[in-house]
Amino acid sequence: MTAPTRPTGPLSDASGEDLHTPVIDWFDEHARDLPWRHPDAGAWAVMVSEFMLQQTPVNRVLPVYEQWLARWPRPADLAKDAPGEAVRAWGRLGYPRRALRLHGAAVAITERHGGDVPTDHAQLLALPGIGEYTAAAVASFAYGQRHPVLDTNVRRVFARAVTGVQYPPNATTAAERRLARALLPESESTAARWAAASMELGALVCTAKNETCHRCPIAAQCAWRLAGKPEHDGPPRKGQTYAGTDRQVRGKLLAVLREAHVPVPQSALDRVWDEPVQRGRALDGLVADGLVEPLPGGLYRLPLT
Ligand code: SF4
C-alpha cells in the first residue's frame, strides 16, 4: 500500500497580496517596541540581536543585548577583545557558540569591510558564522532589502496560513523556501516590512501553542483554520528537553569559567556535576568547540584567542 503523500505546496487560495496588507497593517499597530527595530539602531545592532534571538526569547535577550552594545558599540570594539570575553558577556543566553561566531564575524567585518557591516547579501553570507537566515535578516531589517527571511515563527505562519498544516517540518525544506520566495512582495520596502511583520505575527499571535486566531489579521484566509485545524500528522516534533542533558552540564561548567576571571582548576569544575563520564564529555565538547581553553597544570579558562 502506498503511504499518503504529505502536502508540500500551498493549499490556500490566499495569494501573497491577500496576506501582505493585513499582516503589515497589523504589524504597524501591534509591533513590539524593541531597541533593534529603532530607525537609528544600525546594522551592527540588528546583527547582534539576530544572533541572540535565534534560540533565545526576547525577554532574556534584552538585558544582554543592551550591555553588549554599551560595551561593544561597533564591530571593531568587539574584535579587539578576546573571544572569551564574548562568551563571558553572553551570560546565560544558551548555545554559547553563537558568541564565538559573533566575535568571528566582528573580526571579519573589521578586517574585510573597514568595520562596517556589509550591505551586500553575498558579502554578509561570506562572513564566518553567518548562515542564510542571518544574512537575509540583516539585509532585510538593517538595509530594507528584499529577501525571504525564514525563521521558526515565519515558517509556522506559512505552514498554517498557506499550506494548511499545524507545524512546519523539523528542518527547513526546499518547498518552504520556494513558498517564501513566492510570497515575497515585489517592492523592496514592502518585502522588508513583510519579513518583520510575518515574523512578529508568529511570535505574538500564531504561536506554537495556543494560537490566538481571534486576534489574527489573516484568520479569514488561513488554510489551516478553514480546514478545521487538523492535528499534526508529520514526524514527531523536536523536544526541548534540557535537564540532565550535556547542554545543561556544559552550561554549568561555562558558568564557573564566566564567573572566574582567572584560570580555574579541574576540581572547581568537578563540583558542578556529579557524574564524571558526562561531565568529562561536556568539558571535552566545550574545548573542542573553542569555548574553553585548557592550560598546563590542569587549569581551564575562557579562550583568549
Ligand atoms: S488564523 Fe490562527 S492559525 Fe491561522 S495564521 Fe492566524 S493565528 Fe495562525
Side-chain angles (χ1 to χ4, degrees), residues 47-67:
M47 182 178 281
V48 170
S49 75
E50 285 303 329
F51 268 79
M52 293 183 174
L53 289 165
Q54 265 170 45
Q55 280 150 312
T56 310
V58 163
N59 59 341
R60 286 178 51 210
V61 162
L62 276 168
V64 180
Y65 165 91
E66 301 281 7
Q67 286 163 13

Side-chain angles (χ1 to χ4, degrees), residues 7-202:
T8 54
L11 292 183
S12 160
D13 291 335
S15 70
E17 279 166 23
D18 292 334
L19 304 174
H20 300 152
T21 303
V23 173
I24 291 172
D25 286 352
W26 169 87
F27 182 67
D28 287 341
E29 201 176 331
H30 297 281
R32 291 165 293 179
D33 178 22
L34 298 171
W36 45 86
R37 288 185 179 154
H38 290 184
D40 58 352
W44 172 237
V46 171
M47 182 178 281
V48 170
S49 75
E50 285 303 329
F51 268 79
M52 293 183 174
L53 289 165
Q54 265 170 45
Q55 280 150 312
T56 310
V58 163
N59 59 341
R60 286 178 51 210
V61 162
L62 276 168
V64 180
Y65 165 91
E66 301 281 7
Q67 286 163 13
W68 191 282
L69 283 175
R71 181 171 175 185
W72 298 305
R74 294 164 307 165
D77 302 314
L78 176 59
K80 274 193 291 219
D81 259 335
E85 285 307 301
V87 176
R88 195 190 309 281
W90 198 255
R92 306 182 71 82
L93 290 184
Y95 297 100
R97 272 177 287 186
R98 291 180 291 167
L100 284 186
R101 291 207 296 265
L102 185 49
H103 183 273
V107 171
I109 290 167
T110 308
E111 290 173 353
R112 297 183 206 162
H113 301 287
D116 293 324
V117 175
T119 54
D120 181 69
H121 181 263
Q123 288 183 337
L124 283 164
L125 199 52
L127 293 171
I130 297 223
E132 179 59 44
Y133 167 78
T134 309
V138 172
S140 178
F141 301 151
Y143 297 125
Q145 295 174 14
R146 181 178 182 271
H147 297 281
V149 183
L150 262 185
D151 83 333
T152 317
N153 289 317
V154 176
R155 293 176 60 220
R156 189 172 53 252
V157 171
F158 290 178
R160 292 178 181 171
V162 184
T163 310
V165 295
Q166 186 174 17
Y167 295 116
N170 279 333
T172 308
T173 62
E176 287 181 276
R177 292 199 179 89
R178 276 197 301 276
L179 176 59
R181 278 197 300 274
L183 290 175
L184 208 52
E186 281 304 317
S187 124
E188 194 167 50
S189 60
T190 311
R193 296 292 289 163
W194 165 248
S198 50
M199 194 176 288
E200 189 77 335
L201 187 67

Side-chain angles (χ1 to χ4, degrees), residues 157 160-161 201 205-206 211-213 216 218-219 222 224-225 229:
V157 171
R160 292 178 181 171
L201 187 67
V205 175
C206 194
E211 66 282 352
T212 47
C213 302
C216 180
I218 50 172
C222 172
W224 183 57
R225 195 188 70 82
K229 297 194 171 178

